[in-house]
Amino acid sequence: GAVVSQHPSWVICKSGTSVKIECRSLDFQATTMFWYRQFPKQSLMLMATSNEGSKATYEQGVEKDKFLINHASLTLSTLTVTSAHPEDSSFYICSARARTDYNEQFFGPGTRLTVL
Amino acid sequence: SQKIEQNSEALNIQEGKTATLTCNYTNYSPAYLQWYRQDPGRGPVFLLLIRENEKEKRKERLKVTFDTTLKQSLFHITASQPADSATYLCAFRSISGGYNKLIFGAGTRLAVHP
């Protein structure tokens, strides 16, 4: 149980285009989902927290107009990187929080974005 | 600010030995700490959670300790195997501004050699 999927697992795009990444909780309902970015040999950095049906809360330094997050249902959240640039190339990981005593978070397998 | 530190240098050990990884935190008193495993190009996988009132937690070959005085958690893998080679992340949950989020350390890469 508690599986989180992401699609696509990798994407290569041209500079200036937009890319959408999907995150799904497959066997549980996630009222809260998180989006992280990870650069090589660095820690996961939280980008934003999204609650189903409401606007996402972005961490300091993360541009909300560039990284659009939609959490339309209890099992689906999407991250759209708009007008992508090479510096946006990174590993994007989503996470969904389950309704347990310790608010356990389960992570997706990640999406490798490369912007040319 | 809340900070969590792990030894950034890779840990190389021989198969069969015990691996010990360290996690230190500052400017916070977490109610519990979590340890995750991350393989290259993959998302983290949850391993163990230890509460502040638990000194030690075990799961098969894994053992975690939590010293709230030292503000430190130790993660042990006994009888290590090459398949244990991965990056291990510690994290604690921070509640600030009404939001509840995990703060991760940078991780320690473990390499177990046959």
Side-chain angles (χ1 to χ4, degrees), chain B residues 5-7 9-11 13 18-24 35-36 47 63-65 72-77 84 86-90 107-112:
Chain B
E5 293 181 344
Q6 294 182 256
N7 191 340
E9 293 183 15
L11 178 62
I13 65 167
T18 296
T20 298
L21 287 69
T22 304
C23 175
N24 295 292
W35 283 88
Y36 289 80
L47 295 176
K63 185 178 85 171
V64 172
T65 62
Q72 180 181 83
S73 176
L74 298 180
F75 177 81
H76 307 272
I77 305 176
D84 295 327
T87 295
Y88 292 85
L89 307 168
C90 71
T108 298
R109 191 167 65 83
L110 172 66
V112 181

Side-chain angles (χ1 to χ4, degrees), chain A residues 60, chain B residues 1-5 25-28 92 94 103:
Chain A
Q60 193 171 9
Chain B
S1 61
Q2 298 156 2
K3 202 173 179 184
I4 193 163
E5 293 181 344
Y25 58 92
T26 55
N27 298 327
Y28 199 68
F92 66 71
S94 171
I103 307 292

Side-chain angles (χ1 to χ4, degrees), chain A residues 52-68:
Chain A
E52 185 261 340
S54 62
K55 290 183 179 180
T57 300
Y58 290 81
E59 295 298 299
Q60 193 171 9
V62 178
E63 299 174 57
K64 62 179 181 181
D65 294 330
K66 181 166 186 61
F67 298 100
L68 301 178

Side-chain angles (χ1 to χ4, degrees), chain A residues 8-62:
Chain A
S9 56
W10 60 270
V11 57
I12 301 173
C13 69
K14 292 182 179 180
S15 187
T17 60
S18 294
V19 174
K20 180 186 282 189
I21 303 170
E22 287 189 354
C23 175
R24 294 180 185 273
S25 56
L26 297 185
D27 50 3
F28 66 101
Q29 292 185 335
T31 53
T32 306
M33 286 188 170
F34 306 85
W35 286 95
Y36 294 83
R37 181 166 52 182
Q38 187 178 35
F39 293 105
K41 297 186 179 181
Q42 292 188 25
S43 183
L44 280 75
M45 297 303 297
L46 180 65
M47 298 175 66
T49 302
S50 78
N51 292 297
E52 185 261 340
S54 62
K55 290 183 179 180
T57 300
Y58 290 81
E59 295 298 299
Q60 193 171 9
V62 178

Side-chain angles (χ1 to χ4, degrees), chain B residues 8-112:
Chain B
S8 59
E9 293 183 15
L11 178 62
N12 292 282
I13 65 167
Q14 205 68 29
E15 182 176 10
K17 301 292 185 184
T18 296
T20 298
L21 287 69
T22 304
C23 175
N24 295 292
Y25 58 92
T26 55
N27 298 327
Y28 199 68
S29 296
Y32 51 89
L33 276 169
Q34 303 180 34
W35 283 88
Y36 289 80
R37 169 181 173 143
Q38 187 176 24
D39 290 285
R42 306 292 294 174
V45 174
F46 173 77
L47 295 176
L48 277 171
L49 178 151
I50 184 165
R51 292 176 290 183
E52 60 179 342
N53 61 350
E54 295 177 316
K55 296 298 182 188
E56 183 180 295
K57 196 80 164 283
R58 291 177 185 261
K59 180 182 177 182
E60 298 173 353
R61 293 185 295 112
L62 308 180
K63 185 178 85 171
V64 172
T65 62
F66 191 2
D67 189 324
T68 55
T69 301
L70 293 178
K71 291 186 180 292
Q72 180 181 83
S73 176
L74 298 180
F75 177 81
H76 307 272
I77 305 176
T78 58
S80 60
Q81 304 165 1
D84 295 327
S85 299
T87 295
Y88 292 85
L89 307 168
C90 71
F92 66 71
R93 187 163 297 285
S94 171
I95 300 173
S96 63
Y99 286 92
N100 187 327
K101 57 188 180 185
L102 279 179
I103 307 292
F104 281 91
T108 298
R109 191 167 65 83
L110 172 66
V112 181

